[in-house]
Amino acid sequence: LSEKLNIPFEVITDEQMREMFPNQPFRQNFYRGGKVYLAEGAIDANSVFHEFAHPIIKSLSKSNPKLFNSLFEELVRTKIGQTIITNLNQDTYYTPGTPEYMEEAIVQALEAINEGKNIIEEPKVKTWLQKLLFNIKQFLRGQFGRKIDVSKLNNKTTLSQFVDMINYGKEFVLDKAFLDQDTFAMFKTDYKAM
């Protein structure tokens, strides 16, 4: 995934994570400056999905800010969106209304769906997800060209299936300079531990 997205990653020790973010034991992994950081004790498929979703959603927000804002507004009108917003509002790190706040909310919704949480039964979530996936398809086609078969991307696509789709295409050509300059750390957070 790192190679296809052209996004480097680094596995760090739990001790390094604690040193970087003292007094924040609920932080698990993060994305910053165009790079994914995974803490040894918190690596799982959902964490990897979460962190590598950030550069895609961040790039989507840059290429189409109006769509990004619309996706966020639609998300907050759903039950899962309200749960995510409640968690984010308890986290003083994120400022409501900022692009980082909205990005984190969208990534968390994608992660919840990837985890298999039965949230797409809500009609609003299903509509939101279909719109998001359609726009991710369009974005990926713009990055990969038609060689990648994203036509099968849907609300039941697993992380491994998504990676397979990427592996059949070329590398992403994300705006690396844009992603590299972002110094705001986007965390995978255990809100139950907060």
Side-chain angles (χ1 to χ4, degrees):
L1 193 55
S2 171
E3 186 178 306
K4 290 295 179 177
L5 291 174
N6 199 23
I7 299 295
F9 76 96
E10 180 179 342
V11 176
I12 59 175
T13 66
D14 293 337
E15 184 178 323
Q16 288 173 302
M17 186 73 177
R18 285 189 299 274
E19 287 171 6
M20 293 166 77
F21 304 103
N23 304 315
Q24 298 187 57
F26 41 85
R27 304 293 185 203
Q28 297 177 329
N29 301 294
F30 66 101
Y31 168 80
R32 177 175 61 195
K35 186 174 183 178
V36 167
Y37 296 85
L38 302 167
E40 286 177 339
I43 298 174
D44 61 22
N46 287 321
S47 294
V48 172
F49 177 87
H50 179 106
E51 297 311 335
F52 279 100
H54 278 291
I56 293 171
I57 299 302
K58 186 176 293 299
S59 295
L60 183 66
S61 76
K62 180 187 180 216
S63 69
N64 194 337
K66 188 175 176 181
L67 170 66
F68 175 74
N69 290 330
S70 172
L71 288 168
F72 174 77
E73 292 303 323
E74 287 179 37
L75 174 63
V76 298
R77 290 192 292 268
T78 66
K79 288 178 190 173
I80 188 64
Q82 286 300 305
T83 300
I84 290 167
I85 294 304
T86 297
N87 286 339
L88 284 175
N89 288 342
Q90 293 174 28
D91 190 341
T92 58
Y93 183 73
Y94 295 102
T95 304
T98 61
E100 294 82 11
Y101 180 91
M102 295 187 301
E103 175 187 330
E104 185 61 28
I106 292 170
V107 168
Q108 284 187 28
L110 286 171
E111 179 187 8
I113 292 163
N114 184 59
E115 286 178 343
K117 292 184 178 169
N118 194 16
I119 60 174
I120 60 169
E121 298 306 316
E122 180 187 352
K124 287 181 185 177
V125 173
K126 193 171 192 171
T127 301
W128 175 83
L129 180 60
Q130 288 169 340
K131 181 178 179 181
L132 177 63
L133 291 175
F134 172 79
N135 284 287
I136 288 175
K137 285 179 190 180
Q138 297 302 101
F139 176 73
L140 292 176
R141 282 195 175 121
Q143 300 302 312
F144 282 112
R146 296 250 175 218
K147 289 193 174 193
I148 182 170
D149 185 11
V150 293
S151 63
K152 294 182 176 96
L153 184 64
N154 62 46
N155 59 357
K156 293 184 177 162
T157 302
T158 66
L159 175 61
S160 63
Q161 291 167 329
F162 182 63
V163 171
D164 286 346
M165 288 177 195
I166 291 171
N167 283 333
Y168 289 115
K170 298 178 184 176
E171 278 187 15
F172 272 96
V173 184
L174 299 177
D175 185 346
K176 194 79 170 96
F178 167 72
L179 295 172
D180 288 348
Q181 70 183 356
D182 187 12
T183 59
F184 192 90
M186 302 299 295
F187 292 104
K188 167 90 168 89
T189 302
D190 180 359
Y191 285 102
K192 293 174 191 151
M194 283 183 77

